[in-house]
Amino acid sequence: MIYKISDNIISSLGFSSEEVYQKVKSGISLGKLHAGVFPGVEPFYSSLLNWEAVNQESAKLFSDGMKYTPFEKIAILSASKAIESAKIDPSSSSVLFVLSTTKGNIGLLEENDGYEKERIHLWRSAQLIGKFFQNPNEVLVVSNACISGVSAQLLAIESMQLKGYDYAVVVGADVLSKFVISGFQSFKALSNERCKPFDAERRGLNLGEAAATIVFHRGEPSQGDVVFRGGGNRNDANHISGPSRTGEGLYNAIQNAVKEVDLSKLAFINAHGTATPYNDDMESWAIERSGLANVPVNSLKGYFGHTLGAAGILECIISAHAVVDNTLLGTMGHETFGVAKNITINKETKTCCNPMFLKIISGFGGSNAAICFEKLG
């Protein structure tokens, strides 16, 4: 079996998964309207990292003289904390590294800041991350829009099953830049206030910066461990930026993820829940078509914003901590039901003793993914 042995989150809410989870459970978010962060960019509502604290923490790690980019720093910092907690040797050939990101060092297109030209490429960052941990294996890179974090987990798990790796370190990270903010603003996709997932008055998404890491182990789990139960990737090829209006691709990903599970054990569905008009409607279609309209649904975007390549990993970690804690987290920002199908949106944090959760996610290019985990009782 494949199960989670450790995790870490680097976000605006803290530098450990437990700290971040407890703040989410308490209803805390540090998202706000930012102005003047990037020259020529309109104000945007976001959850940004405390970079002074990041630099102080990461300075403890780097002694080889390599000048790491902000993206690389948070990826290495998060992975280091998760590996330390897992008590594994990252230099072993039995350990696979998988990197998830949507933008990587794309900010270097605007200002190179003295980095070699290859640094713009994801393969180069992956090489440097593998070298930092002295890992002999090729670091696999997943960059598949918003679903990157879930797809990276599925790739890691499949690689462990087929190639015999004992451990997989799956790290996702993204930082914001003028390129990223301007791109989303050109789509008119950003809200200038806290996002409202699945709400009748939703006006768009918020963005966020984060890194998140899960360490998986192939072996015999113990009571209380969170184990992988199923997953799926599907592409409906609907549009370069718009999801299928009726959720065909996500529906098929969900079906693959839950085909071998007891659906009565589902505590909740953690949705993508970006608070854009089309995404939230589409998710409601896919959930209802899957026969899961009565399962509570939440979105974590109000706490962190959309953290891009980190989102699918970060939100799985928070959801895993919630099922271990017998908790169903609320959907910050949701007030008035406003999607096409009558699904069950959970507003307030409450107790829930079911041991399983389903994470669903969709992205540009018609990409969709789902992954299911269960806490062993």
Side-chain angles (χ1 to χ4, degrees):
M1 298 180 72
I2 308 294
Y3 62 103
K4 180 179 71 68
I5 60 170
S6 74
D7 53 58
N8 172 265
I9 295 171
I10 304 293
S11 80
S12 58
L13 294 181
F15 287 6
S16 76
S17 298
E18 184 60 25
E19 178 187 9
V20 172
Y21 168 70
Q22 291 299 334
K23 288 181 178 177
V24 170
K25 186 178 177 181
S26 299
I28 297 172
S29 172
L30 296 181
K32 66 178 184 179
L33 191 67
H34 293 272
V37 177
F38 304 112
V41 173
E42 297 174 8
F44 60 96
Y45 195 100
S46 181
S47 297
L48 300 182
L49 282 166
N50 179 340
W51 283 101
E52 181 178 353
V54 168
N55 290 332
Q56 288 174 353
E57 281 284 307
S58 58
K60 303 172 187 177
L61 296 175
F62 306 133
S63 59
D64 62 357
M66 172 59 68
K67 184 182 179 184
Y68 294 98
T69 66
F71 155 66
E72 293 157 0
K73 280 183 182 179
I74 59 171
I76 292 172
L77 181 59
S78 179
S80 295
K81 289 178 177 291
I83 289 166
E84 181 181 11
S85 177
K87 296 180 171 60
I88 63 173
D89 178 7
S91 66
S92 170
S93 61
S94 68
V95 178
L96 173 69
F97 279 77
V98 182
L99 174 63
S100 163
T101 184
T102 66
K103 300 298 184 288
N105 286 324
I106 203 162
L108 297 183
L109 287 174
E110 304 153 29
E111 187 173 347
N112 182 268
D113 202 23
Y115 295 99
E116 76 270 28
K117 63 179 181 180
E118 289 82 6
R119 210 59 161 271
I120 192 65
H121 300 294
L122 298 181
W123 60 261
R124 180 55 178 155
S125 292
Q127 280 183 344
L128 293 173
I129 291 170
K131 182 179 179 181
F132 176 86
F133 291 105
Q134 299 181 345
N135 187 268
N137 302 311
E138 180 182 8
V139 177
L140 304 182
V141 179
V142 177
S143 186
N144 191 13
C146 304
I147 75 167
S148 299
V150 171
S151 293
Q153 292 177 70
L154 294 175
L155 175 61
I157 290 167
E158 183 179 40
S159 298
M160 295 173 77
Q161 292 169 333
L162 296 179
K163 298 186 178 181
Y165 295 105
D166 292 324
Y167 302 95
V169 179
V170 186
V171 54
D174 265 308
V175 300
L176 299 184
S177 65
K178 180 178 179 180
F179 181 97
V180 174
I181 299 297
S182 298
F184 277 95
Q185 287 181 337
S186 72
F187 281 126
K188 307 297 182 184
L190 299 186
S191 172
N192 62 1
E193 60 185 14
R194 177 168 289 136
C195 64
K196 298 176 176 290
F198 302 102
D199 193 272
E201 299 298 321
R202 65 189 186 276
R203 303 186 185 282
L205 58 83
N206 303 152
L207 292 173
E209 297 179 316
T213 304
I214 294 178
V215 179
F216 290 114
H217 179 42
R218 180 173 56 89
E220 293 298 324
S222 302
Q223 183 172 336
D225 285 332
V226 176
V227 301
F228 169 73
R229 288 304 191 201
N233 279 299
R234 292 292 184 273
N235 193 296
D236 55 43
N238 179 72
H239 187 270
I240 191 170
S241 64
S244 162
R245 300 296 183 265
T246 51
E248 288 87 352
L250 184 55
Y251 165 77
N252 286 321
I254 291 171
Q255 294 309 296
N256 208 59
V258 302
K259 64 183 178 183
E260 296 180 0
V261 307
D262 179 356
L263 293 177
S264 68
K265 293 183 177 182
L266 269 180
F268 59 88
I269 299 168
N270 175 240
H272 195 30
T274 59
T276 58
Y278 290 143
N279 174 86
D280 292 11
D281 261 5
M282 179 276 292
E283 287 193 285
S284 76
W285 274 90
I287 291 167
E288 187 199 58
R289 290 179 65 182
S290 300
L292 302 175
N294 293 323
V295 177
V297 175
N298 65 15
S299 167
L300 299 175
K301 296 300 190 292
Y303 302 96
F304 305 100
H306 186 349
T307 56
L308 305 173
I313 302 171
L314 183 157
E315 292 170 14
C316 278
I317 292 171
I318 295 296
S319 297
H321 280 247
V323 295
V324 168
D325 192 35
N326 296 320
T327 297
L328 170 57
L329 296 169
T331 301
M332 179 178 283
H334 179 82
E335 297 174 359
T336 305
F337 186 87
V339 289
K341 296 297 180 178
N342 191 28
I343 59 175
T344 307
I345 306 301
N346 189 62
K347 293 184 181 181
E348 304 295 333
T349 295
K350 62 185 73 171
T351 299
C352 179
C353 295
N354 282 7
M356 185 180 295
F357 74 89
L358 175 67
K359 168 64 188 166
I360 61 175
I361 198 162
S362 301
F364 287 169
S367 56
N368 303 273
I371 193 166
C372 186
F373 290 97
E374 180 181 3
K375 176 189 69 173
L376 293 185

